Amino acid sequence: MPVPRSAPPSVRKALTSLDHRVELAIGFTVDRLWRDHDRGLLDEQTARIAAAHRSLSDAERSVTFYRVLLHRLSSDEYPMEPALFPRIERTVEQLKEAVLIRGARETDLSDVLEPVEATSARSPAGHTDLKARDLAMLLAIGQGAKLHEHLLTQRVSVVTASGTRIGQHDFSRLETSGLVQRDTTHPLHAGQPVTLTDAGRAALTIRPSSRVASRPAPRPGAWPGAAHTR
């Protein structure tokens, strides 16, 4: 009798019952949440949401794995032999444990979401009037940048890790708005490291065009349909 795999594979993220709530709280999709988390572009609070969502997604994938495995074992795919029943019992126990873990991860994610939801309900989001060019400069700075002064011309500009050059006027505007900051312990001719502030990182996550449309939350435990595939 062929033996099915006994451990859930680590592949892509799974849909969860809290995806819609996460997207409404942060203002963009969970796909972008994971991507920005990998690139270090999230503020501390949003990074905690990303980490908790990853854990829930892993737990959801485990539940799906054992549920599918149980279905295979109880179908006519395998002959009914005495050795099959211990395997079914073991899979049931593994599924129970996976469901308990998923419930705990849902609670963890809900706990880190609540402060964000409460803040959004009390105050409007800031810096929503930023132009696409400003957002592009913030994104470039977020990947690494330094403020330099040319020794001969005394011109000041920011050079990013991607090669983008940002003029002094644009940099001053972003700095005055509290979106970026520089390390003044370094001399200008050697280059002062420039980083995003918490407000700058938040500005990359609250673009109105990225906000998700309101839709009914998926029923917990329901198999995701094609319309929800990301």
Side-chain angles (χ1 to χ4, degrees):
M1 178 183 68
V3 179
R5 292 174 296 176
S6 59
S10 179
V11 280
R12 58 187 177 84
K13 62 177 170 290
L15 298 177
T16 78
S17 62
L18 296 183
D19 281 4
H20 186 57
R21 183 176 165 190
V22 168
E23 291 176 341
L24 288 177
I26 62 178
F28 50 92
T29 67
V30 293
D31 286 329
R32 181 182 165 193
L33 175 68
W34 282 38
R35 184 171 64 251
D36 287 358
H37 187 229
D38 289 336
R39 298 166 70 181
L41 296 177
L42 301 177
D43 59 82
E44 183 179 353
Q45 192 172 48
T46 311
R48 286 198 297 269
I49 294 175
H53 185 269
R54 285 177 183 266
S55 295
L56 174 58
S57 181
D58 289 342
E60 188 68 57
R61 191 167 58 246
S62 294
V63 170
T64 300
F65 175 84
Y66 290 119
R67 182 173 58 185
V68 172
L69 177 58
L70 181 61
H71 174 73
R72 290 180 56 198
L73 292 172
S74 59
S75 69
D76 57 1
E77 182 176 349
Y78 299 98
M80 285 296 172
E81 298 177 348
L84 179 63
F85 296 104
R87 179 62 175 166
I88 291 177
E89 293 173 358
R90 187 160 60 251
T91 302
V92 169
E93 292 303 316
Q94 290 170 326
L95 179 58
K96 287 180 180 179
E97 181 180 2
V99 170
L100 289 175
I101 293 174
R102 181 183 64 180
R105 300 281 170 81
E106 286 176 342
T107 300
D108 292 340
L109 178 54
S110 181
D111 288 343
V112 296
L113 278 175
E114 286 177 358
V116 178
E117 293 170 331
T119 301
S120 299
R122 289 195 304 267
S123 59
H127 299 295
T128 56
D129 57 341
L130 287 176
K131 299 179 180 179
R133 183 167 173 269
D134 295 327
L135 294 169
M137 288 189 292
L138 290 177
L139 185 60
I141 290 173
Q143 297 172 353
K146 283 188 177 182
L147 181 68
H148 291 271
E149 181 183 52
H150 196 280
L151 289 176
L152 296 178
T153 65
Q154 279 75 55
R155 283 189 173 183
V156 176
S157 61
V158 174
V159 179
T160 69
S162 62
T164 303
R165 188 175 293 273
I166 300 171
Q168 182 177 7
H169 173 73
D170 286 327
F171 171 75
S172 297
R173 183 165 49 80
L174 296 176
E175 187 179 36
T176 301
S177 299
L179 299 172
V180 298
Q181 59 190 1
R182 52 176 162 158
D183 186 351
T184 56
T185 61
H186 296 260
L188 264 178
H189 65 82
Q192 295 179 342
V194 178
T195 57
L196 299 178
T197 63
D198 286 344
R201 286 188 290 270
L204 291 174
T205 68
I206 57 177
R207 289 180 288 174
S209 59
S210 296
R211 293 196 175 276
V212 294
S214 179
R215 65 174 185 269
R219 180 172 56 86
W223 193 268
H228 295 94
T229 302
R230 303 187 193 282

